Amino acid sequence: MFNHKRLSLARKRRRLTGKGLAELARISAITVSRLENGENQPDEETVGRLARALEYPTAFFFDDDPEEVATGSVSFRSLTKMSAKERDAAIAAGSLGLQLSDWVEGEFRLPKANIIDLSYETDPEAAAGSLRQFWSLGEKPIGDVLGLLEVNGIRVFSLAENTATVDAFSFWRNQRPFVFLNNYKTAEHSIYDSVHELGHLAMHRHAGTQPSRAAEREANQFASAFLMPANDVRARMPRFITVDAIIEAKKRWRVSAMAMAYRLHALGLLSEWQYKSACIELGRRGFRSGEPRGIERETSRVWQKVLAQLWNERKTKSGIADALHIPLDELEGLIWGLTGGPMVRPDRVDAKGTIRAVI
């Protein structure tokens, strides 16, 4: 049977309205509406038109119902800025990510979730310190944030949204934490986003279904404290802090210059006037819209090892996409386009398929 829910999912992923899809497929908008509502079963020609218009395999539309991401449990960082079309596309990507995650877990044994429940904690600074202590991080800078999340059982996927309004989102599903990151912005921004979502996963797991500005502020404070521990920052910064000192300092903690300035102000190392002046000068130097001479973007250690192992078995990304009945571009969008070619070593994957991510 043709699955109307999968038609709706594919349309949302392509950011099309019903009318827009109808025009591309050269069928009536009423037909599209009835199909998405499950009122009709399409003939073979109509299915072909829809598949070509959406650039999805025909088999995709005949699979079981996709698992829908519970939108109420999703933490969106920029909820007020994104359009309904952008939000629907991101949520649909989450649904495809769950399908891909289930496939990977059927092939490999991934790390189990290792996050303490900090929903009782009202102070984000204390919460960040508690999780750092639980993970035995001390107060040193974190060299690979994405690797740290993965080794502690967080399933991380990317978003290929090409928009600045969808930063990231996260949610829990069956005792497993998920984070979806948009790599549209700088590498420093993505690192901050990932820890912002970590704050939601640790502090707001039981917070309810309504987005909260207070929760967003807490997640921001958590990310700032987790990435830039207070004692380490105080010990490393000079007595007189210039803009050049901020730019140099951000390299140690691998954050944006603006995030560095914000943390220094929060710790009382910059006065209100100094903070505003620094932000103006950083903006003049291009640090508000970008990150000149920024760091290299982090990539998934887990997916590097998965793809390397599959390459050894003569399996490719195209083969994974075919097995899931999804387009290759959707698969690559979810895993940063990593390759499993011969240049990627299949180390750290044992004979049983257990992946041991390394920080």
Side-chain angles (χ1 to χ4, degrees):
M1 295 285 287
F2 182 85
N3 194 321
H4 64 98
K5 293 182 179 180
R6 286 188 169 269
L7 173 61
S8 180
L9 188 154
R11 176 181 62 76
K12 290 174 181 177
R13 279 302 301 142
R14 298 311 192 194
R15 297 191 183 189
L16 291 170
T17 63
K19 181 179 179 182
L21 174 57
E23 291 175 352
L24 284 176
R26 301 194 305 279
I27 59 179
S28 71
I30 294 176
T31 298
V32 171
S33 177
R34 288 176 176 172
L35 289 175
E36 281 205 27
N37 290 327
E39 297 174 7
N40 293 342
Q41 279 289 310
D43 57 29
E44 185 176 343
E45 180 181 354
T46 300
V47 172
R49 287 174 180 265
L50 290 168
R52 287 190 294 273
L54 293 165
E55 297 182 338
Y56 265 71
T58 301
F60 175 83
F61 302 100
F62 292 89
D63 284 341
D64 295 336
D65 287 353
E67 181 172 352
E68 297 180 3
V69 176
T71 56
S73 66
V74 169
S75 164
F76 270 114
R77 186 171 174 200
S78 301
L79 184 62
T80 58
K81 297 180 182 179
M82 70 180 71
S83 67
K85 187 180 293 185
E86 289 170 336
R87 183 172 182 270
D88 287 346
I91 289 290
S95 183
L96 293 179
L98 292 180
Q99 184 179 343
L100 177 56
S101 180
D102 288 343
W103 181 87
V104 172
E105 301 230 16
E107 300 287 328
F108 299 89
R109 287 187 294 188
L110 300 171
K112 294 182 179 179
N114 184 39
I115 305 177
I116 52 175
D117 187 348
L118 294 169
S119 56
Y120 66 88
E121 183 59 75
T122 58
D123 181 2
E125 187 95 17
S130 295
L131 187 55
R132 268 185 161 266
Q133 183 177 13
F134 181 70
W135 284 349
S136 301
L137 297 176
E139 296 192 344
K140 62 183 180 181
I142 302 169
D144 182 1
V145 172
L146 184 52
L148 176 66
L149 299 187
E150 289 183 325
V151 81
N152 284 289
I154 299 173
R155 310 301 191 243
V156 185
F157 294 92
S158 63
L159 292 168
E161 302 307 294
N162 294 323
T163 175
T165 57
V166 183
D167 285 307
F169 65 90
S170 57
F171 56 88
W172 284 87
R173 174 246 200 179
N174 297 336
Q175 305 303 312
R176 290 183 176 87
F178 287 81
V179 169
F180 287 77
L181 294 174
N182 188 0
N183 284 336
Y184 184 76
K185 293 186 178 180
T186 65
E188 290 87 346
H189 189 100
S190 290
I191 287 173
Y192 191 91
D193 280 348
S194 64
V195 182
H196 175 103
E197 298 308 320
L198 175 62
H200 280 306
L201 292 170
M203 297 185 67
H204 304 137
R205 184 176 181 181
H206 312 294
T209 59
Q210 294 301 318
S212 163
R213 289 185 179 179
E216 290 303 304
R217 285 195 299 271
E218 289 175 356
N220 276 333
Q221 292 167 2
F222 176 96
S224 185
F226 191 87
L227 290 169
M228 296 166 278
N231 289 339
D232 193 37
V233 172
R234 288 193 175 102
R236 297 282 176 171
M237 294 305 298
R239 184 174 180 181
F240 181 70
I241 301 174
T242 64
V243 169
D244 288 334
I246 293 173
I247 295 173
E248 184 63 27
K250 83 180 193 69
K251 300 175 185 177
R252 173 177 173 80
W253 291 283
R254 304 175 71 246
V255 296
S256 70
M258 289 295 185
M260 190 74 246
Y262 175 86
R263 181 60 170 160
L264 294 171
H265 176 51
L267 292 176
L269 300 178
L270 288 179
S271 68
E272 184 70 22
W273 181 85
Q274 288 173 319
Y275 173 63
K276 289 182 178 178
S277 298
C279 287
I280 292 172
E281 177 60 17
L282 287 170
R284 189 187 70 80
R285 297 193 192 186
F287 285 95
R288 185 173 295 279
S289 57
E291 210 63 34
R293 299 179 300 280
I295 63 174
E296 185 177 351
R297 187 174 299 279
E298 295 180 345
T299 54
S300 167
R301 298 292 189 91
V302 165
W303 273 105
Q304 286 177 337
K305 292 170 175 62
V306 166
L307 294 176
Q309 180 66 20
L310 292 174
W311 177 268
N312 279 350
E313 299 171 6
R314 298 297 184 264
K315 297 178 182 178
T316 65
K317 287 183 292 183
S318 295
I320 300 173
D322 290 343
L324 296 173
H325 300 156
I326 64 174
L328 181 59
D329 70 288
E330 292 284 25
L331 173 65
E332 291 185 327
L334 288 167
I335 62 174
W336 284 269
L338 296 176
T339 63
M343 296 301 292
V344 182
R345 290 178 55 197
D347 56 335
R348 304 297 290 170
V349 182
D350 65 23
K352 295 181 180 179
T354 300
I355 297 168
R356 302 183 299 278
V358 180
I359 300 172

